[in-house]
Amino acid sequence: MTGSVEHAHPTTGRLAALLIEASAEAISAAGGHSGGVYLRSRTPGLLRLAVLSGLPGPLFRPWWRMHVDRPFPVADAYRLGVQVVLPNATETMRRYPQFAAGLPFQFGSLYVPVVAGSTTYGVLTVLRPAVADAAEVLSGRDRVVRLAQELGAALRGLEDDDADGVAWDGEPLCLRPPVPVAPTGRTGRFAWDPKAATVTLDDDLRALLGMAPEEFPGTVEAFADAVSPGRPDPVLATLRDTSAGRPPTLPLYLRAQDGTLRLLDLWSTGEPPAAPPVRGIVLTPSPSAAADAAADLLPDGVFCLDRLGLVVYANPRAAQLLGRPRGELVGRDLWEAVPWLGRPDFEDHLRAALLSPDPVHFHLVRPPAEGGEDLEGDWLALSVHPAADRLTCTIRPTSRLTDTLGDQEAPPGPAAADASPLAPLYRPIALAIALSEAVTARQVSAVVMRELLPAFGGRRLAIYLLQDRHLYLEWETGFPKGFLTPFDGVALDAHLPGVETLTTGRPLFFDSMEQLTAAYPGIALDATEGARTFLPLIASGRPVGSCILGFDRPRSFSTEERTVLTALAGLIAHAMEKAQRYESETALARGLQQALLPRRLSAHPRVETVGRYLPGTAGMDVGGDWYDVVESGDGLALVIGDVQGHGVQAAATMGQLRSAVRAFALGDRPPDEVMSSTNHLLIDLDPGLFASCCYIRLDPATGTARVARAGHPPPLLRASDGRTRVLDLPGGVVLGVDPRARYPVSEFLMEPGAVLALYTDGLVERPGGDIDEGITALRVALAKSGAPAARPGGRFLSGVADRLTATARHALDRPDDIALLLAARRAAAPGSQ
């Protein structure tokens, strides 16, 4: 259960040791039952689970990799540098519905970023029992925060010693969790080699027997006496009989020196007469483990797992019902010992038992025994009872699901033996939630690539959308460069699987390229010989496009997989249709907004102005930000505003307000009258929206500026000597709320060489950050911008505007639109009045 780590590299070994120690201490400090460390990888934007403590790695494979832009708590902790505390499932669902859909169980969790200086290395995470009050989680958070800080400092030191840097690109190390108190039930393993006449013990068994390594001579006699003080003969006889191919009745019940019950179970690893080695376990049962000693006599099957899925005990009935000898169960991972249990429904129930404290009850289909002999019916009833250090499972045959369905017959279904080993560990609701957050066609495609492709083991994805009876390539990943170009824009009468899956509405599954070429002779192939799936994207009976999944190797598709993929194609189609509607509305709104923004700003010989507008990119709705410069008497009116909301209505309201403010400014009304009149107009229009605004009447000759603000961020003023300050001027409430609102007027002086900056909140707000910090950062950037040229006609302000918006312009996920208006006052030309 340990992932691959290149221990030959000394830095990697030290890294693993640091992560393991931090994880163990964090779990203990936060009162958790499991946890681990996510670490950055060498793939940009990708975190990898480096250590997983207290949970079986294979059951949590979908969470081994985490993109930093996913709406998951680990990603937020890493990307935003914040602590995320989720005390229970309700809070998890409220804040992270996609994460909760994948693990819908009653548990709490804590996520703390591992940071040193300006570098974020990863996230320390702890899973713990759910509580109603977050204060119970916060009590251990401070210690976890200190551990994360110590780990960050250690990783920075490690990075100084390694030119390659600190990163994790392998599978996670899966570890048994720290136990806060000595457990009442313990298990140890041993091996006896009759030829070499030696017995080896693992650390757990030495601890159980209370002996140091140097105290054990390694003989079979010493082992028997240590396991059964005063009565070693039964142990010796049992070992010899097992090695000789005469397995006795097991387990063997023994007593420790203090009278504690012990169970000895063992099995041979070869065939006589070669005196094969014998392996086994010694178990001290806990009272909470359903009294293992007595479980042998129960008519129902009983078996126990540790928290990594290792079978530590199984009674004879459990071995019979699971169809495996006890020697092939005990000491092995459950899904290795019983491969037919490696199916999504069983693993989901096991995850529930590992993460939440309540027992789990369910039914599953058992395959026929080897040779075709049936074992008392097709259905088994299982119950899993979780404890701190183990899971106790009971199993019994049932032909009717009486426990959960009353007298209702067990539903028919395919035999578990027919289930594909690659059956998807995927919940359609998780994809549905992820798609609900995607509003562009490219965002939908990215979600499909990130969420759907890995769940089915795919490596290639292509999505085509229908337009004017032709299919156009919207998204591709994994295919050779240029391979799909000939298929871009194909007509609906083309004899191609991507076309015919849409025109017939029938998904097409090809287990190999041979099957594909047999059905479509002459079709172009890429370099791989893997399977292909072609899914129709149809929403409410309307064709939207087609989706192609590619695999590196041939494979078959189970009935379950075909059903799930077909259903997921419907979800993708609806998301794409919604995205297309958004794009149509956005084109209209953006065109309206561009038409309403000023094409040319009013000019003055003593004042240079420049404006910038950047639409939001996180969604498709445009906003209501605007700016303007208007001649007002013998001066200029500098205006900036922000209508709350997005879309066509916000853009239309923005246009009405801009026209109103422009009209009032042309009449040279005082700033407070301009704000009050615009406020009344917005209330009379009653669009259900409000707006912020900042209006400045500037006299270019004297530099006197009179200001009225309506809930808008304060302007910035850079003096000619470079000193830059926030003009924290009084203001009134936003427009459109209170008809009796008053907007006080303030004054300040713009000296020659000064630069004034007006902006909307999209430029200074960051998710999870304080707007004051964003304003401070903008002030610092403006202070470094330099001074304007002495004469008009220069391009100074354009360069400043580009620098101030550079970071936002290149951001891929701007949640809001941005407006910026800069004004610089020049000194009077020589000889002018």
Side-chain angles (χ1 to χ4, degrees), residues 630-660:
V630 187
E631 294 180 6
S632 182
D634 56 356
L636 290 178
L638 309 173
V639 190
I640 196 162
D642 182 1
V643 176
Q644 169 264 334
H646 298 85
V648 174
Q649 186 177 20
T653 302
M654 176 270 286
Q656 292 172 309
L657 292 186
R658 175 178 174 265
S659 298

PDB file of all heavy atoms in Angstrom, residues 630-660:
ATOM      1  N   VAL A 630     -16.190  64.665 -19.994  1.00  0.00           N
ATOM      2  CA  VAL A 630     -17.191  65.540 -20.615  1.00  0.00           C
ATOM      3  C   VAL A 630     -16.792  66.997 -20.399  1.00  0.00           C
ATOM      4  O   VAL A 630     -16.343  67.374 -19.301  1.00  0.00           O
ATOM      5  CB  VAL A 630     -18.590  65.293 -20.003  1.00  0.00           C
ATOM      6  CG1 VAL A 630     -19.653  66.085 -20.776  1.00  0.00           C
ATOM      7  CG2 VAL A 630     -18.923  63.808 -19.980  1.00  0.00           C
ATOM      8  N   GLU A 631     -16.936  67.820 -21.454  1.00  0.00           N
ATOM      9  CA  GLU A 631     -16.730  69.258 -21.289  1.00  0.00           C
ATOM     10  C   GLU A 631     -17.834  69.808 -20.398  1.00  0.00           C
ATOM     11  O   GLU A 631     -19.027  69.598 -20.646  1.00  0.00           O
ATOM     12  CB  GLU A 631     -16.751  69.952 -22.638  1.00  0.00           C
ATOM     13  CG  GLU A 631     -15.584  69.549 -23.536  1.00  0.00           C
ATOM     14  CD  GLU A 631     -15.634  70.269 -24.880  1.00  0.00           C
ATOM     15  OE1 GLU A 631     -16.514  71.155 -25.043  1.00  0.00           O
ATOM     16  OE2 GLU A 631     -14.829  69.924 -25.764  1.00  0.00           O
ATOM     17  N   SER A 632     -17.439  70.530 -19.348  1.00  0.00           N
ATOM     18  CA  SER A 632     -18.402  71.055 -18.384  1.00  0.00           C
ATOM     19  C   SER A 632     -18.055  72.512 -18.117  1.00  0.00           C
ATOM     20  O   SER A 632     -17.153  72.815 -17.323  1.00  0.00           O
ATOM     21  CB  SER A 632     -18.340  70.242 -17.082  1.00  0.00           C
ATOM     22  OG  SER A 632     -19.298  70.702 -16.163  1.00  0.00           O
ATOM     23  N   GLY A 633     -18.762  73.424 -18.815  1.00  0.00           N
ATOM     24  CA  GLY A 633     -18.416  74.834 -18.721  1.00  0.00           C
ATOM     25  C   GLY A 633     -17.025  75.044 -19.274  1.00  0.00           C
ATOM     26  O   GLY A 633     -16.698  74.595 -20.377  1.00  0.00           O
ATOM     27  N   ASP A 634     -16.169  75.706 -18.495  1.00  0.00           N
ATOM     28  CA  ASP A 634     -14.783  75.911 -18.929  1.00  0.00           C
ATOM     29  C   ASP A 634     -13.854  74.851 -18.353  1.00  0.00           C
ATOM     30  O   ASP A 634     -12.632  74.999 -18.386  1.00  0.00           O
ATOM     31  CB  ASP A 634     -14.299  77.309 -18.527  1.00  0.00           C
ATOM     32  CG  ASP A 634     -14.433  77.551 -17.028  1.00  0.00           C
ATOM     33  OD1 ASP A 634     -14.973  76.648 -16.322  1.00  0.00           O
ATOM     34  OD2 ASP A 634     -14.016  78.621 -16.561  1.00  0.00           O
ATOM     35  N   GLY A 635     -14.439  73.777 -17.825  1.00  0.00           N
ATOM     36  CA  GLY A 635     -13.626  72.714 -17.248  1.00  0.00           C
ATOM     37  C   GLY A 635     -13.972  71.359 -17.856  1.00  0.00           C
ATOM     38  O   GLY A 635     -14.610  71.251 -18.914  1.00  0.00           O
ATOM     39  N   LEU A 636     -13.553  70.306 -17.166  1.00  0.00           N
ATOM     40  CA  LEU A 636     -13.812  68.931 -17.581  1.00  0.00           C
ATOM     41  C   LEU A 636     -14.462  68.166 -16.440  1.00  0.00           C
ATOM     42  O   LEU A 636     -14.096  68.339 -15.270  1.00  0.00           O
ATOM     43  CB  LEU A 636     -12.508  68.222 -17.989  1.00  0.00           C
ATOM     44  CG  LEU A 636     -11.808  68.651 -19.270  1.00  0.00           C
ATOM     45  CD1 LEU A 636     -10.520  67.846 -19.435  1.00  0.00           C
ATOM     46  CD2 LEU A 636     -12.714  68.443 -20.489  1.00  0.00           C
ATOM     47  N   ALA A 637     -15.405  67.300 -16.788  1.00  0.00           N
ATOM     48  CA  ALA A 637     -15.992  66.379 -15.818  1.00  0.00           C
ATOM     49  C   ALA A 637     -15.389  64.999 -16.054  1.00  0.00           C
ATOM     50  O   ALA A 637     -15.457  64.460 -17.167  1.00  0.00           O
ATOM     51  CB  ALA A 637     -17.505  66.334 -15.966  1.00  0.00           C
ATOM     52  N   LEU A 638     -14.767  64.427 -15.028  1.00  0.00           N
ATOM     53  CA  LEU A 638     -14.188  63.088 -15.078  1.00  0.00           C
ATOM     54  C   LEU A 638     -15.140  62.151 -14.330  1.00  0.00           C
ATOM     55  O   LEU A 638     -15.430  62.367 -13.147  1.00  0.00           O
ATOM     56  CB  LEU A 638     -12.807  63.066 -14.417  1.00  0.00           C
ATOM     57  CG  LEU A 638     -11.826  64.140 -14.897  1.00  0.00           C
ATOM     58  CD1 LEU A 638     -10.562  64.104 -14.047  1.00  0.00           C
ATOM     59  CD2 LEU A 638     -11.493  63.939 -16.362  1.00  0.00           C
ATOM     60  N   VAL A 639     -15.618  61.128 -15.008  1.00  0.00           N
ATOM     61  CA  VAL A 639     -16.659  60.275 -14.439  1.00  0.00           C
ATOM     62  C   VAL A 639     -16.256  58.811 -14.559  1.00  0.00           C
ATOM     63  O   VAL A 639     -15.719  58.384 -15.592  1.00  0.00           O
ATOM     64  CB  VAL A 639     -18.017  60.472 -15.169  1.00  0.00           C
ATOM     65  CG1 VAL A 639     -19.136  59.769 -14.401  1.00  0.00           C
ATOM     66  CG2 VAL A 639     -18.320  61.943 -15.359  1.00  0.00           C
ATOM     67  N   ILE A 640     -16.565  58.065 -13.507  1.00  0.00           N
ATOM     68  CA  ILE A 640     -16.430  56.609 -13.578  1.00  0.00           C
ATOM     69  C   ILE A 640     -17.560  56.002 -12.755  1.00  0.00           C
ATOM     70  O   ILE A 640     -17.993  56.572 -11.744  1.00  0.00           O
ATOM     71  CB  ILE A 640     -15.048  56.125 -13.074  1.00  0.00           C
ATOM     72  CG1 ILE A 640     -14.807  54.681 -13.529  1.00  0.00           C
ATOM     73  CG2 ILE A 640     -14.929  56.262 -11.554  1.00  0.00           C
ATOM     74  CD1 ILE A 640     -13.344  54.275 -13.459  1.00  0.00           C
ATOM     75  N   GLY A 641     -18.090  54.848 -13.225  1.00  0.00           N
ATOM     76  CA  GLY A 641     -19.209  54.231 -12.522  1.00  0.00           C
ATOM     77  C   GLY A 641     -19.252  52.735 -12.736  1.00  0.00           C
ATOM     78  O   GLY A 641     -18.564  52.182 -13.604  1.00  0.00           O
ATOM     79  N   ASP A 642     -20.073  52.079 -11.940  1.00  0.00           N
ATOM     80  CA  ASP A 642     -20.174  50.615 -11.970  1.00  0.00           C
ATOM     81  C   ASP A 642     -21.599  50.217 -11.612  1.00  0.00           C
ATOM     82  O   ASP A 642     -22.039  50.412 -10.473  1.00  0.00           O
ATOM     83  CB  ASP A 642     -19.181  50.006 -10.973  1.00  0.00           C
ATOM     84  CG  ASP A 642     -19.190  48.485 -10.994  1.00  0.00           C
ATOM     85  OD1 ASP A 642     -19.949  47.897 -11.785  1.00  0.00           O
ATOM     86  OD2 ASP A 642     -18.448  47.888 -10.198  1.00  0.00           O
ATOM     87  N   VAL A 643     -22.330  49.691 -12.587  1.00  0.00           N
ATOM     88  CA  VAL A 643     -23.684  49.197 -12.343  1.00  0.00           C
ATOM     89  C   VAL A 643     -23.585  47.775 -11.796  1.00  0.00           C
ATOM     90  O   VAL A 643     -22.911  46.922 -12.375  1.00  0.00           O
ATOM     91  CB  VAL A 643     -24.526  49.224 -13.636  1.00  0.00           C
ATOM     92  CG1 VAL A 643     -25.909  48.621 -13.387  1.00  0.00           C
ATOM     93  CG2 VAL A 643     -24.648  50.643 -14.152  1.00  0.00           C
ATOM     94  N   GLN A 644     -24.279  47.533 -10.693  1.00  0.00           N
ATOM     95  CA  GLN A 644     -24.271  46.187 -10.105  1.00  0.00           C
ATOM     96  C   GLN A 644     -24.941  45.218 -11.059  1.00  0.00           C
ATOM     97  O   GLN A 644     -25.936  45.521 -11.707  1.00  0.00           O
ATOM     98  CB  GLN A 644     -25.012  46.209  -8.763  1.00  0.00           C
ATOM     99  CG  GLN A 644     -25.307  44.856  -8.157  1.00  0.00           C
ATOM    100  CD  GLN A 644     -26.705  44.355  -8.482  1.00  0.00           C
ATOM    101  OE1 GLN A 644     -27.611  45.143  -8.738  1.00  0.00           O
ATOM    102  NE2 GLN A 644     -26.876  43.044  -8.490  1.00  0.00           N
ATOM    103  N   GLY A 645     -24.351  43.994 -11.171  1.00  0.00           N
ATOM    104  CA  GLY A 645     -24.924  42.971 -12.027  1.00  0.00           C
ATOM    105  C   GLY A 645     -24.179  42.844 -13.344  1.00  0.00           C
ATOM    106  O   GLY A 645     -23.207  43.552 -13.610  1.00  0.00           O
ATOM    107  N   HIS A 646     -24.664  41.925 -14.156  1.00  0.00           N
ATOM    108  CA  HIS A 646     -24.030  41.631 -15.442  1.00  0.00           C
ATOM    109  C   HIS A 646     -25.110  41.363 -16.479  1.00  0.00           C
ATOM    110  O   HIS A 646     -26.263  41.135 -16.158  1.00  0.00           O
ATOM    111  CB  HIS A 646     -23.104  40.420 -15.327  1.00  0.00           C
ATOM    112  CG  HIS A 646     -21.964  40.621 -14.383  1.00  0.00           C
ATOM    113  ND1 HIS A 646     -22.088  40.398 -13.031  1.00  0.00           N
ATOM    114  CD2 HIS A 646     -20.693  41.034 -14.599  1.00  0.00           C
ATOM    115  CE1 HIS A 646     -20.936  40.660 -12.436  1.00  0.00           C
ATOM    116  NE2 HIS A 646     -20.064  41.045 -13.363  1.00  0.00           N
ATOM    117  N   GLY A 647     -24.705  41.387 -17.736  1.00  0.00           N
ATOM    118  CA  GLY A 647     -25.608  41.038 -18.808  1.00  0.00           C
ATOM    119  C   GLY A 647     -26.189  42.240 -19.517  1.00  0.00           C
ATOM    120  O   GLY A 647     -25.787  43.382 -19.318  1.00  0.00           O
ATOM    121  N   VAL A 648     -27.176  41.952 -20.352  1.00  0.00           N
ATOM    122  CA  VAL A 648     -27.769  42.993 -21.190  1.00  0.00           C
ATOM    123  C   VAL A 648     -28.398  44.090 -20.347  1.00  0.00           C
ATOM    124  O   VAL A 648     -28.254  45.281 -20.632  1.00  0.00           O
ATOM    125  CB  VAL A 648     -28.817  42.371 -22.132  1.00  0.00           C
ATOM    126  CG1 VAL A 648     -29.548  43.451 -22.905  1.00  0.00           C
ATOM    127  CG2 VAL A 648     -28.147  41.393 -23.102  1.00  0.00           C
ATOM    128  N   GLN A 649     -29.087  43.713 -19.267  1.00  0.00           N
ATOM    129  CA  GLN A 649     -29.760  44.727 -18.455  1.00  0.00           C
ATOM    130  C   GLN A 649     -28.755  45.670 -17.804  1.00  0.00           C
ATOM    131  O   GLN A 649     -28.958  46.885 -17.767  1.00  0.00           O
ATOM    132  CB  GLN A 649     -30.622  44.069 -17.380  1.00  0.00           C
ATOM    133  CG  GLN A 649     -31.463  45.070 -16.595  1.00  0.00           C
ATOM    134  CD  GLN A 649     -32.368  44.393 -15.588  1.00  0.00           C
ATOM    135  OE1 GLN A 649     -32.144  43.270 -15.206  1.00  0.00           O
ATOM    136  NE2 GLN A 649     -33.405  45.102 -15.151  1.00  0.00           N
ATOM    137  N   ALA A 650     -27.640  45.112 -17.292  1.00  0.00           N
ATOM    138  CA  ALA A 650     -26.617  45.956 -16.680  1.00  0.00           C
ATOM    139  C   ALA A 650     -26.010  46.897 -17.708  1.00  0.00           C
ATOM    140  O   ALA A 650     -25.785  48.083 -17.431  1.00  0.00           O
ATOM    141  CB  ALA A 650     -25.537  45.092 -16.035  1.00  0.00           C
ATOM    142  N   ALA A 651     -25.745  46.384 -18.918  1.00  0.00           N
ATOM    143  CA  ALA A 651     -25.175  47.231 -19.967  1.00  0.00           C
ATOM    144  C   ALA A 651     -26.150  48.332 -20.378  1.00  0.00           C
ATOM    145  O   ALA A 651     -25.750  49.485 -20.594  1.00  0.00           O
ATOM    146  CB  ALA A 651     -24.787  46.374 -21.169  1.00  0.00           C
ATOM    147  N   ALA A 652     -27.435  47.989 -20.493  1.00  0.00           N
ATOM    148  CA  ALA A 652     -28.431  48.994 -20.875  1.00  0.00           C
ATOM    149  C   ALA A 652     -28.574  50.067 -19.793  1.00  0.00           C
ATOM    150  O   ALA A 652     -28.665  51.262 -20.095  1.00  0.00           O
ATOM    151  CB  ALA A 652     -29.775  48.314 -21.125  1.00  0.00           C
ATOM    152  N   THR A 653     -28.593  49.632 -18.522  1.00  0.00           N
ATOM    153  CA  THR A 653     -28.692  50.603 -17.429  1.00  0.00           C
ATOM    154  C   THR A 653     -27.465  51.507 -17.411  1.00  0.00           C
ATOM    155  O   THR A 653     -27.557  52.715 -17.169  1.00  0.00           O
ATOM    156  CB  THR A 653     -28.831  49.866 -16.093  1.00  0.00           C
ATOM    157  OG1 THR A 653     -29.976  49.027 -16.136  1.00  0.00           O
ATOM    158  CG2 THR A 653     -28.960  50.850 -14.942  1.00  0.00           C
ATOM    159  N   MET A 654     -26.299  50.922 -17.652  1.00  0.00           N
ATOM    160  CA  MET A 654     -25.080  51.716 -17.720  1.00  0.00           C
ATOM    161  C   MET A 654     -25.219  52.800 -18.790  1.00  0.00           C
ATOM    162  O   MET A 654     -24.835  53.960 -18.574  1.00  0.00           O
ATOM    163  CB  MET A 654     -23.885  50.812 -18.016  1.00  0.00           C
ATOM    164  CG  MET A 654     -22.559  51.563 -18.198  1.00  0.00           C
ATOM    165  SD  MET A 654     -22.230  52.069 -19.915  1.00  0.00           S
ATOM    166  CE  MET A 654     -21.790  50.495 -20.626  1.00  0.00           C
ATOM    167  N   GLY A 655     -25.743  52.444 -19.954  1.00  0.00           N
ATOM    168  CA  GLY A 655     -25.908  53.426 -21.026  1.00  0.00           C
ATOM    169  C   GLY A 655     -26.829  54.568 -20.631  1.00  0.00           C
ATOM    170  O   GLY A 655     -26.564  55.736 -20.945  1.00  0.00           O
ATOM    171  N   GLN A 656     -27.913  54.243 -19.921  1.00  0.00           N
ATOM    172  CA  GLN A 656     -28.838  55.284 -19.476  1.00  0.00           C
ATOM    173  C   GLN A 656     -28.179  56.212 -18.463  1.00  0.00           C
ATOM    174  O   GLN A 656     -28.339  57.443 -18.526  1.00  0.00           O
ATOM    175  CB  GLN A 656     -30.091  54.640 -18.885  1.00  0.00           C
ATOM    176  CG  GLN A 656     -30.948  53.917 -19.917  1.00  0.00           C
ATOM    177  CD  GLN A 656     -32.069  53.126 -19.272  1.00  0.00           C
ATOM    178  OE1 GLN A 656     -31.843  52.342 -18.351  1.00  0.00           O
ATOM    179  NE2 GLN A 656     -33.285  53.321 -19.760  1.00  0.00           N
ATOM    180  N   LEU A 657     -27.431  55.637 -17.518  1.00  0.00           N
ATOM    181  CA  LEU A 657     -26.775  56.475 -16.508  1.00  0.00           C
ATOM    182  C   LEU A 657     -25.692  57.340 -17.141  1.00  0.00           C
ATOM    183  O   LEU A 657     -25.551  58.523 -16.796  1.00  0.00           O
ATOM    184  CB  LEU A 657     -26.181  55.593 -15.409  1.00  0.00           C
ATOM    185  CG  LEU A 657     -27.169  54.847 -14.519  1.00  0.00           C
ATOM    186  CD1 LEU A 657     -26.432  54.136 -13.406  1.00  0.00           C
ATOM    187  CD2 LEU A 657     -28.213  55.799 -13.937  1.00  0.00           C
ATOM    188  N   ARG A 658     -24.918  56.757 -18.051  1.00  0.00           N
ATOM    189  CA  ARG A 658     -23.864  57.540 -18.690  1.00  0.00           C
ATOM    190  C   ARG A 658     -24.459  58.718 -19.457  1.00  0.00           C
ATOM    191  O   ARG A 658     -23.935  59.845 -19.399  1.00  0.00           O
ATOM    192  CB  ARG A 658     -23.050  56.652 -19.640  1.00  0.00           C
ATOM    193  CG  ARG A 658     -22.005  57.435 -20.439  1.00  0.00           C
ATOM    194  CD  ARG A 658     -21.169  56.539 -21.330  1.00  0.00           C
ATOM    195  NE  ARG A 658     -20.305  57.364 -22.157  1.00  0.00           N
ATOM    196  CZ  ARG A 658     -20.586  57.746 -23.386  1.00  0.00           C
ATOM    197  NH1 ARG A 658     -21.716  57.371 -23.947  1.00  0.00           N
ATOM    198  NH2 ARG A 658     -19.742  58.506 -24.073  1.00  0.00           N
ATOM    199  N   SER A 659     -25.562  58.475 -20.151  1.00  0.00           N
ATOM    200  CA  SER A 659     -26.207  59.573 -20.896  1.00  0.00           C
ATOM    201  C   SER A 659     -26.715  60.651 -19.947  1.00  0.00           C
ATOM    202  O   SER A 659     -26.593  61.858 -20.228  1.00  0.00           O
ATOM    203  CB  SER A 659     -27.358  59.016 -21.733  1.00  0.00           C
ATOM    204  OG  SER A 659     -26.875  58.088 -22.687  1.00  0.00           O
ATOM    205  N   ALA A 660     -27.285  60.194 -18.795  1.00  0.00           N
ATOM    206  CA  ALA A 660     -27.811  61.164 -17.838  1.00  0.00           C
ATOM    207  C   ALA A 660     -26.689  62.008 -17.241  1.00  0.00           C
ATOM    208  O   ALA A 660     -26.784  63.254 -17.175  1.00  0.00           O
ATOM    209  CB  ALA A 660     -28.566  60.431 -16.738  1.00  0.00           C
TER     210      ALA A 660
END
